[in-house]
Amino acid sequence: MSSSSANSPPAKGKLSTIEGFILGGIAACIAVTISNPAEVIKTRLQLQGELAKEGAVRVYQHAPDAFVKTWRNEGIRGLQRGLGPAILLNGSRLGFYEPFRRGINELVGRRPEEQIPLTSVLAGASSGAVGASLGNPLFLIKARMQAYSPALPVGAQHYYKSSFDALSTIYRAERLRGLVRGIDAAILRTSMGSSVQLPSYNFTKNQLVKRGILPDNSTLTFLASSTVSGACVCVVMQPADTALTRMYNQPTIRNAEGKMVGALYKNPIDCLWKTFKTEGVRGWYKGSTAHFLRIAPHTIVTLTANDIIINLYKRVRDSS
């Protein structure tokens, strides 16, 4: 592709890479604001009874109980803990997907706009891995901020005044190593979720339209496709998500070599194994109800809003 064609304005009806990134980011920001309270609840349920046998004291009985207690004791501020870093993270991840998918299609000799399951999965996993790698410090402080509760604490507690205070506190104590802590778990979790989120959405939408079940570019089509996508993400990602939360939130100690290391887990596989040994498979799926309550509306709003925003933007841009 020549430099002149790369810099030329997009054809009518098509989006440039920058336009796709910005519009995808806006959709994700709207979604995360709505879904963040459920993620706070999910995080706390995943940490409750960490590495404890049956019979451990339960602060929260279930997701609705955790929601009510958090609201009653901490208000809206408690339910929206970690919102700042969450917005930054989700905006960038969705924005990476479409450029990656188009690039991979071109690499294998297919048309950029063509929806191919394999290249879509690769693009989803790649965009998720890049987002997780670049955003690991934000993932880290988001999990710790969501876990913190002055009223009903579960797991290790880390108090930070703001996102900047969290980043600077961690850096002062552990330098760069502290900010990349858990990056392997973040890549695993986000790659698994991203590998199915957008591909399952696009596949479902294409099938609904192709078979004449629902019309193209209708809100109902977007909603149905998003619902299927959310269910796929929840099933695939839950164990890795639990491992990520626990690795991020675990306390740190200084080892014999003078390095700060996690006190409970060495890596995500070690976390999953220890969780399984003490809590069984149910330990992997702690907070799964809250996770679905988070991921379903988040996926529905993200992908539905993404298509609606793109269509509105195209109409405005192409009519001028």
Side-chain angles (χ1 to χ4, degrees):
M1 183 181 289
S2 66
S3 60
S4 61
S5 62
N7 294 325
S8 60
K12 189 172 183 179
K14 294 184 179 181
L15 295 176
S16 68
T17 299
I18 294 176
E19 287 174 324
F21 186 91
I22 293 173
L23 296 176
I26 292 172
C29 290
I30 295 170
V32 77
T33 303
I34 295 171
S35 65
N36 193 64
E39 185 165 21
V40 170
I41 301 308
K42 171 193 71 72
T43 298
R44 297 182 179 186
L45 289 171
Q46 287 174 328
L47 294 171
Q48 179 170 254
E50 186 174 12
L51 299 184
K53 298 287 186 181
E54 287 288 333
V57 176
R58 299 174 65 182
V59 176
Y60 308 110
Q61 299 305 310
H62 41 66
D65 181 57
F67 184 92
V68 170
K69 286 179 177 176
T70 301
W71 170 261
R72 189 176 295 157
N73 289 281
E74 303 170 55
I76 189 64
R77 183 176 181 181
L79 290 171
Q80 287 289 13
R81 290 192 189 276
L83 179 61
I87 285 177
L88 293 174
L89 283 166
N90 284 272
S92 64
R93 183 178 64 79
L94 187 64
F96 281 127
Y97 172 76
E98 194 59 25
F100 277 31
R101 188 189 63 76
R102 289 174 172 269
I104 295 173
N105 275 9
E106 290 180 346
L107 191 64
V108 298
R110 304 293 288 269
R111 289 180 292 111
E113 64 274 12
E114 193 174 352
Q115 295 289 344
I116 307 167
L118 180 58
T119 60
S120 295
V121 169
L122 288 173
S126 300
S127 63
V130 170
S133 300
L134 296 178
N136 192 73
L138 295 174
F139 267 113
L140 174 67
I141 64 172
K142 175 175 73 76
R144 292 185 176 183
M145 292 171 81
Q146 289 174 335
Y148 175 74
S149 172
L152 297 170
V154 291
Q157 295 289 286
H158 307 269
Y159 171 69
Y160 306 114
K161 296 176 183 177
S162 63
S163 296
F164 179 77
D165 177 55
L167 292 170
S168 58
T169 298
I170 294 169
Y171 182 77
R172 283 197 305 269
E174 304 178 54
R175 298 300 176 188
L176 185 61
R177 184 184 181 89
L179 294 175
V180 298
R181 183 176 305 285
I183 191 170
D184 48 357
I187 292 173
L188 174 65
R189 177 258 189 196
T190 311
S191 296
M192 290 175 69
S194 297
S195 69
V196 297
Q197 183 187 41
L198 291 161
S200 61
Y201 172 81
N202 287 325
F203 177 79
T204 303
K205 186 173 71 169
N206 289 337
Q207 290 301 309
L208 290 173
V209 174
K210 183 179 178 181
R211 297 174 185 277
I213 300 172
L214 290 171
D216 191 16
N217 290 331
S218 76
T219 301
L220 187 58
T221 304
F222 301 152
L223 286 171
S225 304
S226 300
T227 302
V228 173
S229 177
C232 292
V233 171
C234 192
V235 170
V236 170
M237 197 168 66
Q238 176 67 25
D241 188 77
T242 298
L244 175 68
T245 299
R246 293 187 170 192
M247 285 198 66
Y248 275 157
N249 198 63
Q250 69 176 323
T252 56
I253 57 173
R254 194 174 297 278
N255 65 10
E257 299 173 357
K259 295 180 180 178
M260 296 298 291
V261 297
L264 301 177
Y265 316 109
K266 298 176 183 177
N267 53 56
I269 304 303
D270 181 53
C271 177
L272 288 169
W273 175 242
K274 287 179 177 176
T275 300
F276 174 74
K277 283 200 302 182
T278 55
E279 304 168 59
V281 175
R282 289 183 64 183
W284 290 349
Y285 284 88
K286 279 186 175 179
S288 56
T289 301
H291 191 190
F292 182 76
L293 292 175
R294 180 258 172 191
I295 206 72
H298 178 87
T299 304
I300 290 170
V301 175
T302 297
L303 301 180
T304 302
N306 188 51
D307 274 344
I308 291 173
I309 290 170
I310 286 175
N311 286 330
L312 286 174
Y313 175 77
K314 284 180 178 178
R315 279 188 215 147
V316 173
R317 185 197 64 183
D318 296 341
S319 65
S320 59

